Amino acid sequence: MKKLILVLLVVCCGVQISTQQNQIFSPTTYDSRWCNNNQDLTYEYRTSMYHFILKLFKSITVRGNLNVVFSPHSIWIIVAAIAEGADPVTQQKLFQLLTLPKEPCIRQAFYQLATSRVHPSNDVNIKNTRVWLFDDGVTVSPTWYDLVAKNSLLEVAKAPIKSNPVGTAKEIERIMSSRFPRLDLSGNSVLLDTMDYNGLWTTAFADAEIERAPFYNLEGEAIGAVDIMRIQRRVRMGYNEELRMKIMELPVGSDERYRMLFGVTIANHDFKTVVTDFNIDHVFDLIASLRPSLVPIDVAIPRMVITSDIDMKVIMEDLAVKDLWTDPAVTRYISNPPALPSSFVQRASLVLNNTGLSYASPEPATAYSTRTGLDPILGRDFIADRPFIFGLYDAKTWTCLLATAFSQPTYT
């Protein structure tokens, strides 16, 4: 059995492709040496990504029965890599879907921001793998590959998809750390994506403050039980009147370079409506609304492990990306023969527990009448004992690395 080998194609075929093969591919690329990316494009990049994130969020969470975790950040990068090599018509459609600018140098600046959000460390463990796996008989365009490799958009790999699909499926399972029973290997390539998170809070939840507690639906009915982690601490909170949702931020890591944002509705506001009504303004309004509390707030969130296997091909078809899987003209500038990915899958996992780098220092008791410094409707607590959303963010750019909807206590 041939063994799947991840290789940099610039080594194995970049200098081996013949002149005749080179003529097959289009030079639709840009020379990054002439880009001057000294300007700060963080806001433009973040806006571009969030337009796409919200489209994904609505489609994935509804299909996932409002109980799912996924990485919009990683998907955005993969689709950008595809767009950079797609035929002109499809390329423009994908650029519009991603809200990417036409100017190549600005896109490159966006890619540099996107691919530098995850920093390996001992206190925050985030593993992200993005691979386009091609059949052994496919030759990848060195021009396209050079672009995606230099911008760290994805890796390219070869496998005997056609000659040994069973062996290839086993190797994919090893790479993804998950088995996809319905993985389609009928095409000449597949897109693979993983994102795993396990990190330490900047301030830990005490072991003694974990209790088994009911988890409720929006009608107030107990539908299960979760391990609730409790702490009293000063936090940043905000409120959105239109969504009737309050937001809380908790820092992650030694230098607080990551943040978790939690959102829970009040007054029994319909959770599904919140998910489907989210827009770009809501995101930025919620972030801007965060204010530090002047007194410790009662915080309670479930301890959990969430893992989701998502058929991204179906999700992309929801977003009107249909020709990529069936029309050779779409990817004729990416490979020869043209890449026709039969699967696009993402496995995402997230661990929330009470461990942290330090414990909250006890604070003197304050009178209940002491002002919190927050919108009065927020009250003096954040209790996630009913459907809620949360996500992992990079603190510098507010890139959403992982997004989660939790409505059923099935992972505890």
Side-chain angles (χ1 to χ4, degrees):
M1 181 186 74
K2 289 187 178 180
K3 189 175 181 180
L4 179 149
I5 304 174
L6 289 178
V7 291
L8 295 178
L9 286 186
V10 73
V11 174
C12 75
C13 66
V15 296
Q16 300 294 329
I17 296 177
S18 68
T19 303
Q20 181 180 2
Q21 288 174 319
N22 270 327
Q23 292 173 350
I24 297 174
F25 306 116
S26 166
T28 53
T29 184
Y30 58 89
D31 191 339
S32 61
R33 293 175 299 176
W34 305 110
C35 291
N36 180 9
N37 292 325
N38 293 326
Q39 57 181 321
D40 186 357
L41 295 170
T42 300
Y43 178 82
E44 290 81 1
Y45 150 76
R46 184 172 61 219
T47 302
S48 172
M49 180 166 281
Y50 271 111
H51 277 292
F52 181 65
I53 285 175
L54 291 178
K55 295 171 187 175
L56 282 181
F57 186 71
K58 294 172 185 179
S59 179
I60 291 177
T61 52
V62 170
R63 282 187 173 274
N65 199 24
L66 304 178
N67 207 78
V68 66
V69 58
F70 70 101
S71 173
H73 163 261
S74 192
I75 297 167
W76 184 91
I77 294 174
I78 289 177
V79 177
I82 297 170
E84 289 292 350
D87 74 282
V89 174
T90 303
Q91 183 178 74
Q92 289 308 309
K93 289 181 179 179
L94 292 178
F95 283 169
Q96 290 175 7
L97 177 64
L98 299 171
T99 320
L100 278 172
K102 293 181 180 180
E103 295 81 357
C105 288
I106 297 181
R107 294 202 306 274
Q108 185 195 45
F110 284 10
Y111 301 156
Q112 290 172 346
L113 285 167
T115 57
S116 59
R117 295 307 92 209
V118 175
H119 308 283
S121 67
N122 293 327
D123 54 315
V124 179
N125 185 11
I126 302 175
K127 294 182 179 179
N128 183 206
T129 301
R130 300 182 297 273
V131 177
W132 197 338
L133 182 65
F134 292 89
D135 181 66
D136 283 339
V138 175
T139 300
V140 175
S141 162
T143 304
W144 171 79
Y145 176 76
D146 186 58
L147 187 153
V148 299
K150 285 184 176 179
N151 287 285
S152 303
L153 299 181
L154 52 71
E155 295 180 73
V156 168
K158 288 293 193 71
I161 296 175
K162 295 295 186 182
S163 63
N164 191 353
V166 175
T168 298
K170 290 181 179 179
E171 288 297 328
I172 290 173
E173 181 179 343
R174 180 183 62 80
I175 293 171
M176 301 286 288
S177 300
S178 180
R179 183 167 178 253
F180 290 85
R182 297 177 299 277
L183 187 67
D184 184 357
L185 293 178
S186 62
N188 63 4
S189 66
V190 292
L191 290 155
L192 308 174
D193 186 24
T194 69
M195 177 73 88
D196 302 300
Y197 166 83
N198 191 344
L200 298 176
W201 301 108
T202 303
T203 303
F205 291 78
D207 293 335
E209 298 299 327
I210 298 177
E211 62 184 48
R212 195 71 173 168
F215 191 85
Y216 302 92
N217 62 19
L218 292 179
E219 287 70 43
E221 303 167 332
I223 58 174
V226 292
D227 290 334
I228 287 284
M229 306 182 294
R230 296 184 180 274
I231 193 173
Q232 275 200 341
R233 59 165 296 174
R234 297 171 190 259
V235 297
R236 282 167 30 101
M237 292 181 66
Y239 175 70
N240 182 277
E241 183 175 4
E242 185 178 350
L243 296 174
R244 281 182 277 176
M245 172 174 281
K246 54 181 176 180
I247 303 294
M248 176 192 64
E249 173 193 290
L250 291 178
V252 174
S254 59
D255 54 2
E256 301 187 5
R257 66 189 178 282
Y258 300 109
R259 310 291 171 87
M260 282 275 189
L261 289 188
F262 294 83
V264 64
T265 58
I266 65 173
N268 294 332
H269 190 45
D270 183 64
F271 186 59
K272 185 174 182 179
T273 300
V274 170
V275 170
T276 56
D277 284 356
F278 243 101
N279 60 47
I280 190 73
D281 292 330
H282 287 146
V283 173
F284 294 137
D285 288 347
L286 286 171
I287 293 174
S289 72
L290 297 176
R291 298 289 184 272
S293 62
L294 301 179
V295 298
I297 299 295
D298 292 325
V299 175
I301 59 176
R303 181 170 60 179
M304 67 181 77
V305 177
I306 301 179
T307 300
S308 295
D309 295 330
I310 301 170
D311 186 345
M312 283 307 308
K313 180 179 176 181
V314 172
I315 302 301
M316 295 306 295
E317 288 174 341
D318 285 349
L319 302 180
V321 179
K322 301 180 183 296
D323 295 340
L324 172 64
W325 329 106
T326 58
D327 186 357
V330 171
T331 57
R332 65 186 185 272
Y333 304 138
I334 291 177
S335 68
N336 179 38
L340 292 176
S342 50
S343 292
F344 180 6
V345 292
Q346 182 186 81
R347 180 192 49 75
S349 68
L350 180 144
V351 177
L352 283 190
N353 57 35
N354 59 301
T355 54
L357 296 169
S358 62
Y359 287 100
S361 301
E363 296 198 36
T366 57
Y368 192 82
S369 59
T370 304
R371 293 191 168 206
T372 65
L374 305 171
D375 188 322
I377 200 170
L378 291 170
R380 308 176 74 90
D381 61 37
F382 187 96
I383 312 297
D385 60 357
R386 56 193 183 280
F388 64 99
I389 58 176
F390 67 99
L392 175 70
Y393 296 79
D394 157 66
K396 182 177 181 180
T397 66
W398 285 104
T399 295
C400 183
L401 302 174
L402 283 166
T404 307
F406 187 84
S407 62
Q408 304 167 22
T410 56
Y411 295 106
T412 58

